[in-house]
Amino acid sequence: MEQMTPVVFDLRTTPLREVNAALHAPGLAGEFRIEHPAGAHNVAVGLDAPVTVTVDGHVGYYAAGMNQHAEVIINGNAGTGVAENMMSGSVWVKGNASQSAGATAHGGLLVIDGNAAARCGISMKGVDIVVGGDVGHMSAFMAQAGRLVIRGDAGEALGDSIYEARLYVRGNVASLGADCVAKPMDAEHHRELEQLLKAAGFEDDDTGAYTRYGSARSLYHFHVDNASAY
């Protein structure tokens, strides 16, 4: 099958508004490449088609936000809120990500090869996030559903006020947030983690080196004995 030549947009000469408008065209298909983003904000946001978009360089705030169906590859670092509110598809950051990566995302797969800053996966609602390095403080705060895999260390207050999301950490955790506890790694969890690592290109990891964390469910209903945890 003949490989399609990507349509190339150069942000040095084409305004970002025009690029995003082109990527929102009805019936869009194929492969696209965005060159020289130079840290621009809102690159490749709101995609709603099964296309592949490769961004060659660093991006600013909210890159690939609200993504549906598309595969977005960022060959660089990403600023605040990459893949924010993603619904489906995939976003792959080949470098590091700033704070709030994958915030409120409902579905799809977010992979960050490097480190992610504070609040990674905040209020996640079904997305799968795999971080190749460390995450900062308050990651998975109020995480409702989905899975967060951290191959490195986690900062303070991991999983604070967590609901039913599953967290897998290979490294050290500085501290756990309210209602977040370590949980057993059963056979289903090893299988689940193995699939996530494989999807993110880390299939050589030993799932036995990971600890699972989740909700103790003590904050589901208010009780005066737990008042200090709110």
Side-chain angles (χ1 to χ4, degrees):
M1 184 175 179
E2 185 177 354
Q3 189 173 4
M4 296 181 62
T5 301
V7 175
V8 178
F9 300 104
D10 190 338
L11 287 183
R12 293 181 304 184
T13 56
T14 305
L16 178 61
R17 185 181 294 272
E18 292 184 16
V19 173
N20 281 338
L23 293 175
H24 295 165
L28 194 70
E31 298 184 12
F32 302 85
R33 182 176 298 274
I34 299 175
E35 297 180 343
H36 306 108
H41 304 318
N42 305 314
V43 173
V45 296
L47 301 183
D48 191 15
V51 296
T52 299
V53 177
T54 301
V55 183
D56 280 334
H58 306 311
V59 292
Y61 296 170
Y62 302 115
M66 302 178 289
N67 185 56
Q68 293 190 90
H69 309 301
E71 175 186 358
V72 181
I73 301 163
I74 299 170
N75 290 321
N77 300 324
T80 297
V82 63
E84 183 264 348
N85 206 39
M86 177 166 66
M87 305 301 287
S88 61
S90 65
V91 177
W92 201 309
V93 180
K94 297 297 185 176
N96 301 314
S98 187
Q99 63 184 351
S100 302
T104 74
H106 288 249
L109 172 67
L110 169 61
V111 180
I112 299 165
D113 282 352
N115 301 317
R119 301 176 182 85
C120 178
I122 183 174
S123 195
M124 53 191 278
K125 297 177 172 66
V127 68
D128 290 327
I129 303 175
V130 181
V131 180
D134 304 333
V135 298
H137 65 272
M138 297 293 290
S139 288
F141 172 58
M142 294 189 69
Q144 297 169 35
R147 289 83 59 94
L148 171 60
V149 179
I150 303 163
R151 297 181 69 243
D153 299 331
E156 296 177 349
L158 176 70
D160 189 85
S161 303
I162 191 173
Y163 289 81
E164 290 303 306
R166 292 178 175 178
L167 315 180
Y168 297 98
V169 184
R170 186 172 68 167
N172 298 316
V173 176
S175 66
L176 295 174
D179 210 41
C180 186
V181 296
K183 293 196 167 188
M185 283 281 288
D186 298 328
E188 67 168 297
H189 305 118
H190 284 283
R191 288 194 298 269
E192 176 177 78
L193 178 57
E194 183 179 12
Q195 292 170 357
L196 289 167
L197 289 167
K198 183 176 181 180
F202 300 118
E203 59 270 13
D204 292 337
D205 278 11
D206 177 11
T207 60
Y210 285 78
T211 301
R212 179 171 74 97
Y213 298 92
S215 175
R217 301 188 174 94
S218 63
L219 298 183
Y220 272 30
H221 304 285
F222 179 81
H223 192 284
V224 67
D225 293 344
N226 298 325
S228 64
Y230 287 87

